[in-house]
Amino acid sequence: MQLDSKIPAGSLAEKWTKHKFNVKLVNPANKRKYDIIVVGTGLAGAAAAASFAELGYNVNAFCFQDSPRRAHSIAAQGGINAAKNYTNEGDSVHRLFYDTIKGGDFRAREANVHRLAEVSNDIIDQCVAQGVPFAREYGGLLDNRSFGGSLVSRTFYAKGQTGQQLLLGAYSALSRQIALGKVKMHTRTEMLDVVMVDGKARGIITRNLITGKIEAHSAHAVVLATGGYSNVYFLSTNAMGSNVTAAWRAHRKGALFANPSYTQIHPTCIPVHGTQQSKLTLMSESLRNDGRVWVPRTKGDTRKAKDIPEAERFYYLEEKYPTFGNLVPRDVASRNAKYMCDQGYGVGASKLAVYLDFKDSIKRLGKKAIEEKYGNLFDMYQQITNSNPYEEPMMIYPAPHYTMGGLWVDYNLMTNLTGLYAIGEANFSDHGANRLGASALMQGLADGYFVIPYTIGDYLATQKYDKIPTDHPEFKKALDENKAHLESILSRKGTKTPDEIHIELGRIMMNYCGMSRTAEGLQEARKKVQQLQHDFKNNLKMVGTNDELNITLEKANRVEDFLELGELMILDALNRNESCGGHFREEYQTPEGEALRNDNDFAYVAAWEYTGGAGKDPVLHKEELEFENVKLTQRSYK
Amino acid sequence: MEHTGRSYTIKVWRQKNAQAQGSIQTYPLKDISPDMSFLEMLDILNEQLLQKGEDPIAFDHDCREGICGMCSLFINGRAHGPLTTTTCQLHMRSFENNETIFIEPWRAKPFPVIKDLVVDRTAFDRIIQAGGYVTVRTGSAPDANEILIPKAIADEAMDAASCIGCGACVAACKNASAMLFVSAKVSQLALLPQGQSERKQRAERMVAQMDAEGFGACTNTGACAAECPKQISLVNIARLNREYLSAKISSDNVEEYVPIK
Amino acid sequence: MNWFTRTLTSSIGRKLVMSLTGLFLCSFLVVHLIGNFQLLKTDSGEAFNAYAKFMTTFPLIKFISYGLYAGILLHIIQGILLTLENGKARPVAYAYSKAGDTSSWASRNMGLLGTVIFLFLAGHMTQFWGRMHFGEMPMVNLANGDSVKDLYKITMEAFAQPIMVALYVLAMVALAFHLLHGFKSAFQTLGLTHKKYTPTIETLGYVFAIVIPAAFAVIPILVFLMTNK
């Protein structure tokens, strides 16, 4: 299989403009003859569905939650980047492009990242026009804050609820189109399969989560906006329902899965406590604007934070990285936290935590200013930990948060399956091996509002108007297969619950394929995951039927895909004999303990082809990354 | 951190589906850590039920960070339990050892029970569809800084906009009124310059849709705001009253609103 | 229905009617109270009867009184409709509710309080207003020679009975609670809220809700004490 990224010719800054001119257009009067399916209604999905409908296409949108407004984009706290340069610090499209590609440790496509930086400004305009209440200065102009991996303040924010406000903006646009009848919304509906007819994606199979009904939906193109797969770790900052099923089922149908081992472990999360925890909570990266990260200078120091004098505090990020200090990129911050704890400097009951201290900021700016900026985060922290961060420093530890890997897509965001698109976190395209803070919202909305509305037209313009009825043999076959598969899962009457298997999988993935990885560990992990796959098949405990709201079946259905994905992540991590961004192989590090890339051998996208699952190894396809505009350097934030 | 296990008697509403009769069932539960979240306590109960081959209790939840608005539950006579947080942010330390805990679904005609503790809240979506937006086509926006918004106004709009649509206001209100929810969206957009073009139509339509859904009228008891996990203020309801009445008096719309089904 | 009736029958419209009629009735309470104070004058009912005569015969007052009857009726009818419709919005009640944690008792029981006041009003109207307008009453001569119905005598006789006084006081307690919520609620419904003025309105509401019913209640108590010395 030859991977064609379809990157337009021309200079970097002109590619997107030229491409927009070169794409084929669908006559406005003909757009209503095309149907598009959008799965997922987060930032990317809601923005795309609303924009398609505005253009005139007929849209069927799907989400597993009870409302499109619940998608997990809503939980993004800190902000969204744009190259507006409102702060007069010398920001530009090129600087945002450069910061993003460097932040991604030079493992992303230049052309995609540049396009992202180009449309970033349009996103802010669009959202403001929708009534998103971004933070403002007293004069009425928009305010900015700084985020990790950048030396300019380019992050727009709405309190600590930026994701919520942006999503509600996209949701309102979507709601308008639902009322107009241009979008048919299917809530509490989970995608089970992609249906291919004559080599093109022409529809999906879904399960109604209330009635259990398995249904077929036909369209001219299918867009997956189904988010990331951090829940492979069971404990993550993702929502409980976030899953890889839609993307994985597409993968099983032939869509390549790219860079699955690029996962982001976010540095500032509330540490794990106890053994029954279901979920980890993020504390926004914006906290690192004013909080200082430290551990005691003495190993195993059991004194309370406030009893440790200033001279005995090790502000390790500020000392090691004087230029970026506490605002180093996430992978660097996370790795350092883990390193400190592994060395025995960790704090708290589990010793798996470092301090994030606001004492100095409160002294400098006053409690009121800190409260205004981070009040809701501080409240949330106190609610969960029963400790007051105004009085004692927060305790934080890294947690799985975002996945840079995802379905392989070309410049048009189409997967290698004709007519099947992947946007937002579900694709692999823009963040390389590490995502910078406040860039996920940017990418989701860029894909949804400003990229796919153009590129999908380029494809649809070449397609006939014919609609495929859902009693077509391919649909019937897919329906039958999926029904039979769910029945087979339901028939298992073993002893392990889906959650038990999921928790075990998460533990394996975190230990061996988390913040640091070794070839040896990964090989062992693969065996363990295979054992779990075996357990899932032979020793799964199920109840209920398929004709009802069955939460056990929902979980099992998702866990099955995580089990297969987990193995692929391990294989990908094994294959990548280098360290880059979020992928840190202990064998490959600089003397200072930083990630050591191998650009000669690994400057490629690893896109994996499914070949039948358990026992059959997937096939690796490489898309070489070409860097013509940036010089590949060892990342330095010192 | 405490690690003593506590015991509880859980009395929970079980209902097989929308058509079935429901009832309160009692489950004893042991070894619960006070640091555990309320939903983690339910997870444990569910795992125990599943191990016994019984159907686990269905309840809505997703982000478990207090922002998606998916979790609900009427706990010991209060929406989202005894604190003014969402249920997912409630921890077992808020309950005494050996306490009996009642868990019921939101109760309102427009929120019918789907199963156990899961209710259908799509009425809220339809209210937003009726007018909770600014009409702006993708790509047609002016530069963001061309719209000046005083900080105080932006902050007030943000406070209203922080509604998560969980429905606690409806659940807590003795009339099952949705006025706090509707007023939050109407306020946000009435305050901002972007919302002015559709201001009257928005207030009229959203209230008409709210009434058509079967929510009760607001009698200003204040329970909604007292229970709101995002502290949406009653001032918004007053603003909605103002917006609606002045729209009705001055708009040129005389047509009857056709509700969204 | 045209736009106007649709507006008034919407949930907010109904509340608007409650609010406006409620505030109108509040103003009536003040006028009625001023009249009642005449009972305390030690002039054998001269002032009170003159007042009663004025209130039942002066054309402008008569005109306003029709508005008053309409106001009372509207307030009652809308109140009943609202209570019924609000009840329908929650067909299945909670098995366990701690509504008291988040709202005042009065605010949740406006229907009940209103009913108590209505029953009182029915009795009150038959006892005094009805007899005054349509019934047989003893006559008395005023200082200016006019012969008027002796409402004073009837009132004094009524308030000499402990049961009457008790019922009257009880009704005033209900009225106090009704006003405690109703007064400020009326302003909220009208959308009349403001950072600067709302606290004043709320304080005024509390004072009004306590002082007016208390003043009403004090009169029969004093009359009772004086007549049963």
Side-chain angles (χ1 to χ4, degrees):
Chain A
M1 188 187 307
Q2 197 55 45
L3 287 181
D4 180 4
S5 58
K6 303 215 175 98
I7 293 170
S11 74
L12 185 63
E14 288 175 347
K15 283 180 197 288
W16 178 233
T17 312
K18 278 190 173 166
H19 189 64
K20 277 194 287 186
F21 178 73
N22 288 330
V23 294
K24 291 176 208 73
L25 298 177
V26 180
N27 176 342
N30 288 338
K31 288 200 175 89
R32 62 170 179 273
K33 296 175 185 163
Y34 292 111
D35 303 329
I36 304 175
I37 282 173
V38 179
V39 187
T41 57
L43 287 179
S51 303
F52 290 153
E54 283 166 7
L55 287 171
Y57 298 114
N58 307 311
V59 181
N60 272 285
F62 298 81
C63 70
F64 72 79
Q65 299 92 340
D66 71 336
S67 160
R69 69 178 292 152
R70 314 265 189 232
H72 198 57
S73 306
I74 207 157
Q77 298 167 352
I80 176 164
N81 287 332
K84 284 279 193 188
N85 193 32
Y86 284 160
T87 52
N88 197 30
E89 292 169 302
D91 199 7
S92 63
V93 166
H94 194 80
R95 187 178 295 282
L96 176 54
F97 154 74
Y98 183 76
D99 284 350
T100 307
I101 208 138
K102 176 187 169 194
D105 218 355
F106 305 100
R107 287 293 175 264
R109 276 190 205 137
E110 277 188 342
N112 282 57
V113 178
H114 197 275
R115 174 176 67 190
L116 177 64
E118 280 174 64
V119 302
S120 66
N121 292 341
D122 298 337
I123 297 171
I124 303 301
D125 300 343
Q126 175 71 18
C127 296
V128 166
Q130 286 171 342
V132 170
F134 281 121
R136 303 242 161 200
E137 291 169 347
Y138 284 99
L141 297 166
L142 287 155
D143 191 20
N144 289 113
R145 57 163 64 141
S146 359
F147 254 64
S150 162
L151 293 175
V152 294
S153 294
R154 61 159 74 99
T155 306
F156 295 80
Y157 65 99
K159 276 195 170 170
Q161 291 143 266
T162 318
Q164 179 199 27
Q165 293 311 313
L166 296 177
L167 181 65
L168 293 182
Y171 162 74
S172 72
L174 177 63
S175 296
R176 187 168 80 89
Q177 295 302 327
I178 296 171
L180 290 171
K182 287 302 289 179
V183 176
K184 169 113 181 63
M185 187 67 225
H186 307 258
T187 58
R188 293 196 196 263
T189 305
E190 183 137 75
M191 184 189 124
L192 296 178
D193 215 344
V194 179
V195 180
M196 304 291 295
V197 179
D198 300 330
K200 290 173 190 165
R202 292 303 302 262
I204 60 171
I205 304 294
T206 59
R207 177 171 184 270
N208 180 321
L209 297 180
I210 299 173
T211 61
K213 195 158 183 237
I214 318 271
E215 288 167 313
H217 306 269
S218 161
H220 294 90
V222 176
V223 178
L224 301 185
T226 50
Y229 50 86
S230 293
N231 271 350
V232 72
Y233 294 102
F234 185 73
L235 282 180
S236 83
T237 65
N238 280 192
M240 300 301 286
S242 300
N243 65 78
V244 76
T245 291
W248 195 256
R249 302 290 164 95
H251 177 57
R252 290 179 74 127
K253 275 281 155 82
L256 302 184
F257 209 104
N259 301 333
S261 69
Y262 288 169
T263 57
Q264 177 162 81
I265 316 285
H266 194 291
T268 47
C269 300
I270 298 176
V272 179
H273 62 83
T275 52
Q276 308 280 14
Q277 206 163 348
S278 62
K279 143 99 199 170
L280 296 175
T281 303
L282 177 80
M283 289 283 107
S284 168
E285 175 158 314
S286 61
L287 291 172
R288 285 198 276 144
N289 269 305
D290 290 300
R292 299 177 70 194
V293 178
W294 65 277
V295 291
R297 285 205 185 268
T298 334
K299 285 184 189 182
D301 196 330
T302 51
R303 285 177 292 177
K304 282 191 173 159
K306 62 172 190 285
D307 299 331
I308 301 178
E310 201 56 34
E312 292 176 44
R313 297 177 173 200
F314 184 16
Y315 295 94
Y316 57 89
L317 288 179
E318 294 173 25
E319 287 187 27
K320 279 172 84 173
Y321 309 97
T323 307
F324 281 71
N326 292 299
L327 283 174
V328 292
R330 292 176 174 174
D331 54 335
V332 179
S334 289
R335 210 143 46 230
N336 276 282
K338 179 180 185 326
Y339 178 78
M340 286 298 153
C341 294
D342 289 351
Q343 295 296 307
Y345 294 99
V347 298
S350 64
K351 298 285 168 212
L352 283 177
V354 299
Y355 289 125
L356 180 63
D357 201 337
F358 293 88
K359 187 179 56 130
D360 294 337
S361 295
I362 291 174
K363 210 186 275 171
R364 194 175 71 245
L365 305 165
K367 190 180 164 192
K368 196 166 175 284
I370 295 294
E371 204 175 325
E372 220 164 71
K373 270 179 159 169
Y374 311 115
N376 59 332
L377 296 171
F378 277 40
D379 291 349
M380 186 155 82
Y381 180 85
Q382 182 159 12
Q383 198 56 247
I384 293 171
T385 62
N386 212 14
S387 142
N388 179 356
Y390 295 103
E391 308 285 329
E392 303 171 75
M394 282 185 180
M395 280 195 264
I396 53 161
Y397 196 71
H401 176 60
Y402 186 88
T403 52
M404 284 72 71
L407 291 174
W408 183 89
V409 289
D410 63 18
Y411 189 72
N412 293 321
L413 305 181
M414 195 196 279
T415 66
N416 58 306
L417 298 184
T418 310
L420 179 70
Y421 291 78
I423 59 176
E425 194 181 346
N427 73 28
F428 86 106
S429 71
D430 295 358
H431 305 297
N434 173 56
R435 178 177 66 75
L436 289 183
S439 285
L441 302 183
M442 175 170 67
Q443 187 224 337
L445 290 179
D447 287 0
Y449 283 133
F450 296 110
V451 180
I452 198 164
Y454 300 99
T455 59
I456 207 163
D458 189 39
Y459 169 68
L460 290 175
T462 63
Q463 301 302 306
K464 294 194 192 118
Y465 305 130
D466 70 311
K467 291 183 199 279
I468 296 180
T470 48
D471 55 6
H472 183 280
E474 288 295 337
F475 277 99
K476 280 181 110 171
K477 192 174 137 230
L479 273 173
D480 291 343
E481 279 171 8
N482 281 285
K483 273 182 198 160
H485 182 64
L486 289 176
E487 287 305 331
S488 129
I489 291 181
L490 274 167
S491 68
R492 298 172 200 177
K493 299 281 183 269
T495 59
K496 277 192 175 175
T497 64
D499 266 354
E500 280 177 82
I501 293 179
H502 195 175
I503 290 169
E504 258 183 86
L505 171 69
R507 213 170 284 144
I508 297 167
M509 295 305 292
M510 197 58 204
N511 288 344
Y512 298 101
C513 197
M515 267 185 287
S516 75
R517 301 142 182 197
T518 64
E520 199 187 347
L522 287 164
Q523 267 147 4
E524 180 160 347
R526 187 177 186 198
K527 280 186 213 133
K528 290 183 183 218
V529 171
Q530 284 171 342
Q531 177 57 41
L532 272 185
Q533 290 169 347
H534 182 263
D535 282 358
F536 185 88
K537 240 191 180 128
N538 302 299
N539 194 19
L540 185 67
K541 173 97 186 166
M542 293 299 296
V543 291
T545 67
N546 183 35
D547 312 322
E548 58 181 343
L549 195 165
N550 185 337
I551 56 174
T552 316
L553 181 60
E554 283 169 36
K555 282 181 186 169
N557 187 44
R558 293 168 185 169
V559 169
E560 184 177 35
D561 295 325
F562 279 131
L563 285 167
E564 289 191 6
L565 166 78
E567 191 180 357
L568 185 67
M569 285 169 69
I570 290 167
L571 282 176
D572 187 47
L574 258 176
N575 169 67
R576 194 165 280 279
N577 288 318
E578 64 162 352
S579 293
C580 58
H583 167 67
F584 189 76
R585 282 277 300 272
E586 289 179 21
E587 304 95 314
Y588 309 100
Q589 48 181 309
T590 65
E592 296 101 18
E594 303 294 340
L596 183 63
R597 286 200 324 268
N598 176 348
D599 294 330
N600 288 331
D601 300 325
F602 290 97
Y604 65 75
V605 175
W608 299 88
E609 183 187 353
Y610 187 83
T611 53
K616 291 184 195 134
D617 280 358
V619 176
L620 173 65
H621 300 272
K622 295 178 186 175
E623 181 203 332
E624 294 296 334
L625 290 168
E626 280 156 40
F627 295 93
E628 294 162 351
N629 300 276
V630 296
K631 208 169 133 260
L632 275 69
T633 54
Q634 172 68 38
R635 274 193 314 172
S636 170
Y637 292 97
K638 287 195 186 292
Chain B
M1 240 181 263
E2 290 175 73
H3 277 295
T4 46
R6 296 185 183 179
S7 299
Y8 297 101
T9 304
I10 310 294
K11 286 187 174 283
V12 57
W13 182 262
R14 301 298 312 259
Q15 181 174 336
K16 195 155 173 47
N17 53 46
Q19 292 76 36
Q21 276 283 345
S23 63
I24 301 252
Q25 300 290 320
T26 306
Y27 303 98
L29 198 55
K30 277 196 292 230
D31 291 328
I32 296 298
S33 153
D35 288 327
M36 197 176 276
S37 78
F38 192 85
L39 295 182
E40 281 161 6
M41 178 276 289
L42 281 181
D43 289 342
I44 289 180
L45 176 56
N46 271 348
E47 283 290 288
Q48 293 178 1
L49 289 174
L50 181 53
Q51 282 297 357
K52 283 192 276 182
E54 291 177 36
D55 194 20
I57 302 158
F59 60 93
D60 268 331
H61 64 106
D62 202 25
C63 79
R64 297 207 180 183
E65 292 181 26
I67 192 74
C68 76
M70 186 109 173
C71 64
S72 50
L73 305 190
F74 207 75
I75 302 163
N76 274 356
R78 296 274 305 272
H80 290 306
L83 306 179
T84 49
T85 58
T86 55
T87 293
C88 65
Q89 297 296 292
L90 181 65
H91 285 69
M92 295 311 292
R93 65 179 86 95
S94 294
F95 299 88
E96 301 292 328
N97 194 13
N98 297 319
E99 195 171 332
T100 298
I101 303 174
F102 276 83
I103 312 173
E104 297 175 75
W106 283 174
R107 295 289 190 198
K109 183 166 154 256
F111 288 171
V113 172
I114 292 171
K115 179 177 179 176
D116 296 339
L117 303 168
V118 176
V119 299
D120 180 354
R121 281 172 289 191
T122 47
F124 271 11
D125 288 317
R126 289 187 292 272
I127 293 174
I128 297 292
Q129 285 157 22
Y133 49 75
V134 174
T135 297
V136 45
R137 281 177 73 101
T138 303
S140 56
D143 184 85
N145 258 350
E146 277 179 27
I147 307 169
L148 286 182
I149 305 171
K151 186 176 185 316
I153 299 288
D155 287 351
E156 210 179 340
M158 177 63 217
D159 287 344
S162 51
C163 167
I164 56 174
C166 63
C169 46
V170 174
C173 175
K174 79 171 192 57
N175 309 323
S177 166
M179 282 287 277
L180 195 64
F181 169 78
V182 177
S183 72
K185 187 47 78 181
V186 167
S187 282
Q188 177 203 343
L189 297 177
L191 283 161
L192 295 172
Q194 299 94 308
Q196 298 312 307
S197 311
E198 293 155 295
R199 185 172 176 174
K200 291 176 186 175
Q201 158 192 320
R202 179 179 307 117
E204 290 184 334
R205 287 195 190 166
M206 288 179 75
V207 169
Q209 183 69 33
M210 170 183 84
D211 287 352
E213 295 290 350
F215 291 102
C218 172
T219 54
N220 303 323
T221 68
C224 53
E227 209 63 288
C228 175
K230 296 293 151 189
Q231 285 84 46
I232 307 288
S233 150
L234 286 179
V235 168
N236 292 303
I237 295 188
R239 187 180 290 108
L240 172 59
N241 290 332
R242 218 154 56 216
E243 290 290 321
Y244 178 76
L245 293 171
S246 60
K248 277 294 179 190
I249 290 166
S250 65
S251 85
D252 54 9
N253 167 40
V254 291
E255 301 293 312
E256 187 167 0
Y257 173 77
V258 183
I260 297 167
K261 291 274 183 244
Chain C
M1 277 196 283
N2 67 11
W3 71 270
F4 185 72
T5 44
R6 273 203 305 274
T7 303
L8 288 187
T9 51
S10 70
S11 60
I12 295 179
R14 283 197 200 286
K15 287 293 297 170
L16 174 75
V17 173
M18 289 306 280
S19 154
L20 290 176
T21 51
L23 287 177
F24 177 55
L25 296 179
C26 281
S27 69
F28 163 71
L29 284 177
V30 177
V31 178
H32 192 310
L33 182 63
I34 292 168
N36 284 16
F37 275 131
Q38 314 306 319
L39 282 169
L40 297 180
K41 280 200 173 167
T42 46
D43 60 356
S44 315
E46 175 78 20
F48 184 74
N49 279 330
Y51 164 78
K53 161 92 175 161
F54 174 76
M55 292 303 277
T56 44
T57 52
F58 189 69
L60 181 66
I61 297 287
K62 275 188 104 168
F63 179 73
I64 295 177
S65 70
Y66 291 120
L68 177 68
Y69 306 143
I72 293 175
L73 273 176
L74 260 176
H75 198 78
I76 291 170
I77 293 167
Q78 286 287 27
I80 291 170
L81 288 175
L82 261 174
T83 310
L84 288 178
E85 280 187 18
N86 289 344
K88 272 193 276 178
R90 175 162 297 135
V92 183
Y94 291 110
Y96 181 24
S97 169
K98 270 196 206 157
D101 286 9
T102 51
S103 57
S104 69
W105 181 86
S107 73
R108 278 176 283 121
N109 291 283
M110 292 298 275
L112 173 71
L113 292 167
T115 310
V116 172
I117 296 165
F118 170 72
L119 290 176
F120 165 76
L121 213 55
H124 188 71
M125 300 273 278
T126 350
Q127 194 172 12
F128 302 116
W129 178 89
R131 278 181 81 182
M132 186 74 184
H133 281 80
F134 313 113
E136 285 288 307
M137 296 249 304
M139 300 298 283
V140 66
N141 285 327
L142 293 179
N144 65 6
D146 283 357
S147 174
V148 298
K149 293 179 174 172
D150 196 354
L151 186 62
Y152 178 79
K153 186 165 178 255
I154 293 198
T155 310
M156 297 308 265
E157 280 169 11
F159 288 169
Q161 305 168 44
I163 179 77
M164 281 298 161
V165 176
L167 284 175
Y168 196 99
V169 171
L170 184 77
M172 287 310 111
V173 172
L175 178 64
F177 278 105
H178 200 74
L179 288 172
L180 214 48
H181 175 67
F183 192 90
K184 62 174 183 199
S185 175
F187 285 88
Q188 167 84 1
T189 298
L190 292 173
L192 297 177
T193 55
H194 192 280
K195 251 188 186 160
K196 284 180 183 162
Y197 312 116
T198 299
T200 317
I201 290 173
E202 284 186 359
T203 315
L204 198 71
Y206 287 127
V207 173
F208 190 89
I210 292 162
V211 170
I212 301 285
F216 269 110
V218 151
I219 294 166
I221 293 172
L222 286 179
V223 169
F224 177 78
L225 293 176
M226 285 190 296
T227 48
N228 292 289
K229 253 192 288 203

